[in-house]
Amino acid sequence: MCRHRLLVVYLQIKTLLTYYDMSVRSGFSLGPLGYTTYKRCVTKEEETLCVKVFHEADEGQKGYLSRSDLKVAIVELLGYKPTKFEINHLLQTHGEDIDNLTKGMTLEKFVSSMCEKLVSQDEDEDIRHTFMAFDVQCRGFLTLDDVKKVFSKVAPHVPEQTVHSAFREIDQDGDGRVSYKDFEFLMKYNTDDHI
């Protein structure tokens, strides 16, 4: 099985874990345990992506995002379904009154608020949370059974043979365990650099 297919499978799991609120949005923070996070700057590509997502989500090209448009935009941009509370909060803090009954978010406000969210994302923390979701017994490594359980819950459509192949690909030494370091390497593996 090629590394690209393996990466796609694990990225699907990461996205599904985030969607099912098993990851960073659970409120668990590694900060008190000594992990430090540094805010980064938003790149021009990310700003351009925010503008593109805004225009794609702006149904009817109204010039603002309605409540439902904003949900779609967040799913497309950040990869998770926002709660009603989060949408209400975003519209309260960044939204504008469009008319007496409608509150919406303009392009400028959307880009500003989404850039704040993008800057606060920490790739390493996402990877740690994803690994911890797989490692339900807190052993510091993953077994084939751990991976099969997660796949059966969040991606039951993935054939068991694919799960076995993916696990064998990561388990380079064949000891039946995948360490955090190997898992992190997989999650950060960039196929563009190696093709």
Side-chain angles (χ1 to χ4, degrees):
M1 173 181 225
C2 71
R3 278 200 187 271
H4 177 71
R5 176 69 182 134
L6 181 64
L7 179 65
V8 168
V9 169
Y10 274 101
L11 289 177
Q12 286 174 338
I13 292 296
K14 179 181 172 186
T15 302
L16 288 167
L17 288 173
T18 301
Y19 178 78
Y20 286 106
D21 209 18
M22 294 172 67
S23 186
V24 176
R25 285 145 219 21
S26 66
F28 180 76
S29 174
L30 293 173
L33 301 174
Y35 290 94
T36 306
T37 58
Y38 298 97
K39 291 215 175 202
R40 61 179 180 80
C41 296
V42 176
T43 64
K44 288 287 182 199
E45 291 83 16
E46 289 172 323
E47 280 187 36
T48 303
L49 179 61
C50 287
V51 171
K52 180 182 174 201
V53 167
F54 177 90
H55 290 299
E56 288 175 357
D58 181 12
E59 193 170 303
Q61 305 306 309
K62 307 174 294 293
Y64 67 91
L65 296 180
S66 65
R67 177 177 301 281
S68 61
D69 294 341
L70 185 55
K71 281 183 188 178
V72 170
I74 290 175
V75 168
E76 187 174 342
L77 184 64
L78 301 175
Y80 72 95
K81 183 180 175 186
T83 64
K84 286 182 182 181
F85 175 79
E86 184 177 3
I87 293 295
N88 290 340
H89 179 71
L90 282 170
L91 287 173
Q92 255 181 351
T93 57
H94 298 286
E96 297 178 9
D97 290 327
I98 304 304
D99 57 37
N100 291 338
L101 301 174
T102 307
K103 197 151 182 110
M105 192 177 288
T106 62
L107 175 62
E108 296 79 23
K109 298 282 189 167
F110 176 76
V111 171
S112 169
S113 63
M114 291 303 112
C115 284
E116 286 176 24
K117 286 188 170 292
L118 289 171
V119 164
S120 68
Q121 283 184 329
D122 178 12
E123 179 187 22
D124 290 332
E125 188 171 344
D126 285 345
I127 292 170
R128 279 191 298 275
H129 282 279
T130 304
F131 183 83
M132 289 169 21
F134 276 82
D135 184 18
V136 293
Q137 296 180 2
C138 300
R139 294 177 296 203
F141 60 87
L142 305 177
T143 64
L144 179 59
D145 286 337
D146 296 332
V147 175
K148 284 170 37 177
K149 285 177 188 172
V150 172
F151 270 83
S152 69
K153 289 179 183 174
V154 297
H157 63 281
V158 175
E160 191 170 324
Q161 181 60 34
T162 303
V163 176
H164 282 270
S165 298
F167 187 82
R168 278 194 310 270
E169 181 73 24
I170 305 171
D171 183 20
Q172 293 292 322
D173 60 1
D175 67 350
R177 298 177 175 186
V178 173
S179 68
Y180 174 76
K181 185 177 179 178
D182 293 335
F183 186 81
E184 180 184 36
F185 174 77
L186 170 75
M187 296 299 279
K188 290 184 174 181
Y189 187 85
N190 186 349
T191 57
D192 295 337
D193 295 340
H194 302 282
I195 293 180

